[in-house]
Amino acid sequence: DAMRAGAVGSIPGGESADILTRIFDLMASGSAGEAEAERLYATVLRPLVLLMESMDTFLVYGKRLLGHRLGLPDPDPRPPFTPPSEFGLAMVRRYAEAMGPL
């Protein structure tokens, strides 16, 4: 959507850099890549909306999403921090599975 509006780049976080780069490349290649770009966009949109909810949400769940995609255990955050909820942890695991390994 941003590229269709005239954006010429994006600054992805580590948790989605691979997918957003692929989307960018597909969109830049012309209309032949748009369908695949849309499919990938649907995969990454929900996690990005979650992470952009607030800085706290980004800090609590962003590293976990990246860690899951990298196959790493959940981090041991330094105090002070907001503890994640079981619901949030389950959501991040589902998103990581849908996005695939990094």
Side-chain angles (χ1 to χ4, degrees), residues 1 4 23 26-27 33-43:
D1 290 339
R4 287 181 181 129
I23 290 169
L26 287 165
M27 291 297 291
E34 283 190 29
E36 177 64 6
E38 288 286 341
R39 187 192 69 72
L40 290 171
Y41 185 59
T43 301

Side-chain angles (χ1 to χ4, degrees), residues 19-101:
I19 297 171
L20 291 177
T21 299
R22 182 74 180 128
I23 290 169
F24 183 88
D25 290 344
L26 287 165
M27 291 297 291
S29 73
S31 60
E34 283 190 29
E36 177 64 6
E38 288 286 341
R39 187 192 69 72
L40 290 171
Y41 185 59
T43 301
V44 76
L45 182 59
R46 289 176 59 197
L48 292 178
V49 168
L50 167 72
L51 296 181
M52 294 299 109
E53 185 177 289
S54 71
M55 183 55 75
D56 192 51
T57 301
F58 175 74
L59 294 172
V60 171
Y61 297 107
K63 287 181 182 178
R64 285 176 169 81
L65 179 56
L66 176 59
H68 284 299
R69 293 197 66 213
L70 290 170
L72 301 173
D74 276 343
D76 224 3
R78 294 181 306 254
F81 67 93
T82 303
S85 69
E86 287 302 317
F87 175 79
L89 292 173
M91 188 168 36
V92 166
R93 282 190 294 271
R94 281 194 318 276
Y95 290 161
E97 286 177 21
M99 293 169 75

